[in-house]
Amino acid sequence: MDLAVVVGVDGSEPSLRAVDWAADESALRGLPLRLVYASLWERYEGTSLATDLGRPSEELLADDIVAAAERRARSRHPDLALAVDVLAEEPEYALVRESRSATVLVTGSRGRSGLAEALLGSVSLAVAAHADCPVIVLRGSHDNRATPGAQGRVVVGVGEEGKESPAVRFAAEEARRRGVPLEAVRAWRRPAHESTDHPLITGEPARLHQEQAAEVLEHALRDVPPEVEVRRRTVEGHARRVLVDASYQADLLVVGAKRHGSFGLQLGRVTHAVLHHSDCPVAVVPRRMPEP
């Protein structure tokens, strides 16, 4: 069964930008788009506006938000199969549940909370941390389009998973659909105790670590479809800084996140950093870890 692309909407400008991306993603994949609005807004923000208009506040707000989102999606892709759902519950819980029956879930970087200067909204962070499917968080100064992107590349951070990496598979498919190169980045660091000033072995430890990073890249990319152009890059430095820097030349940055049984996704320091600081949209792809 083909699953939908799901996007969380709340009336904010970031969520409308997410609708743009999700509509493009649905069209690329040939899948229906599902717009989900979830909120307990009435409980927290009162009913004065709706009382003046003679309608329940949450009904008024939800109708306006989903109507605007639906118009935006249909103006972008008129023939897109589209469904709407309004849920009276906390958005992070609703979207995590929706992820169980989604191909990919798209969210804005932050919502209507009023924390306009926050690096990343709490809902987006919670969904990225616990969703069952890949989550794309609309970060940075992108142009709201899944394709064609301004930078013309998808970047994936390659960790220790090897060729079984779901993040690499997801990134390769995204690059293939868009017809753009896949840039695979592997960061490496030389331990401090290996540094030396001896002139006969200067650079030798660094060369060995770089070669190991290159081998990890080759192993991870072994099953990438031949029609995808692959660019390999090894960079010395902290992975989080290397990937944030790479985001400035990417249309989409793909990273992995480990799932540990019932404890959900554990967003490590690298994934957490790129979600907060990336200059382009970030796809967080879950990977199930074996039970201890």
Side-chain angles (χ1 to χ4, degrees):
M1 180 180 66
D2 289 338
L3 304 178
V5 173
V6 173
V7 57
V9 299
D10 66 2
S12 66
E13 180 56 29
S15 84
L16 291 176
R17 293 165 65 194
V19 170
D20 293 345
W21 185 284
D24 287 352
E25 193 77 34
S26 295
L28 276 173
R29 294 170 176 267
L31 294 177
L33 175 64
R34 182 173 166 82
L35 305 173
V36 175
Y37 171 82
S39 177
L40 294 178
W41 176 83
E42 183 179 21
R43 176 182 300 175
Y44 302 122
E45 299 188 21
T47 60
S48 57
L49 171 62
T51 299
D52 291 342
L53 297 177
R55 294 176 62 189
S57 60
E58 189 67 14
E59 178 185 334
L60 173 70
L61 187 66
D63 287 351
D64 291 345
I65 286 174
V66 297
E70 184 173 3
R71 286 194 301 270
R72 187 141 173 168
R74 291 200 183 282
S75 68
R76 202 170 185 89
H77 295 284
D79 298 328
L80 199 63
L82 193 151
V84 173
D85 204 356
V86 176
L87 305 172
E89 59 184 301
E90 295 287 4
E92 53 266 48
Y93 300 132
L95 292 176
V96 168
R97 189 182 63 251
E98 290 289 329
S99 75
R100 299 169 189 161
S101 57
T103 294
V104 64
L105 194 151
V106 185
T107 74
S109 58
R110 58 179 180 265
R112 295 185 301 115
S113 67
L115 299 176
E117 301 305 318
L119 291 172
L120 185 67
S122 60
V123 172
S124 298
L125 191 60
V127 173
H130 298 287
D132 282 1
C133 71
V135 175
I136 298 177
V137 180
L138 272 288
R139 293 288 307 161
S141 55
H142 58 88
D143 57 2
N144 298 3
R145 301 184 66 88
T147 184
Q151 300 296 335
R153 75 185 70 179
V154 172
V155 174
V156 60
V158 176
E160 300 290 350
E161 298 93 340
K163 71 173 184 177
E164 300 303 321
S165 167
V168 171
R169 290 199 301 271
F170 180 87
E173 281 301 303
E174 291 294 292
R176 183 187 63 80
R177 291 187 184 95
R178 289 161 172 74
V180 300
L182 171 66
E183 181 174 299
V185 179
R186 171 70 177 175
W188 60 274
R189 295 180 64 204
R190 178 175 49 181
H193 69 270
E194 290 187 0
S195 62
T196 179
D197 295 326
H198 194 290
L200 295 180
I201 57 175
T202 297
E204 185 66 13
R207 183 183 64 80
L208 292 175
H209 287 292
Q210 187 173 25
E211 289 177 353
Q212 290 172 355
E215 290 174 2
V216 171
L217 276 182
E218 289 302 320
H219 190 64
L221 299 168
R222 187 176 301 173
D223 294 331
V224 172
E227 62 268 26
V228 177
E229 177 187 346
V230 178
R231 301 172 182 175
R232 299 159 175 82
R233 192 155 66 92
T234 61
V235 185
E236 183 176 11
H238 290 282
R240 52 188 180 273
R241 173 46 53 194
V242 168
L243 293 178
V244 169
D245 289 346
S247 73
Y248 285 86
Q249 287 80 46
D251 296 315
L252 178 66
L253 173 62
V254 182
V255 293
K258 298 175 182 178
R259 176 182 291 282
H260 295 281
S262 61
F263 294 101
L265 289 173
Q266 306 299 313
L267 293 180
R269 287 180 295 176
V270 173
T271 301
H272 198 272
V274 299
L275 279 170
H276 280 288
H277 301 291
S278 175
D279 193 60
C280 74
V282 177
V284 179
V285 181
R287 177 174 183 256
R288 182 173 295 279
M289 303 297 292
E291 296 292 342

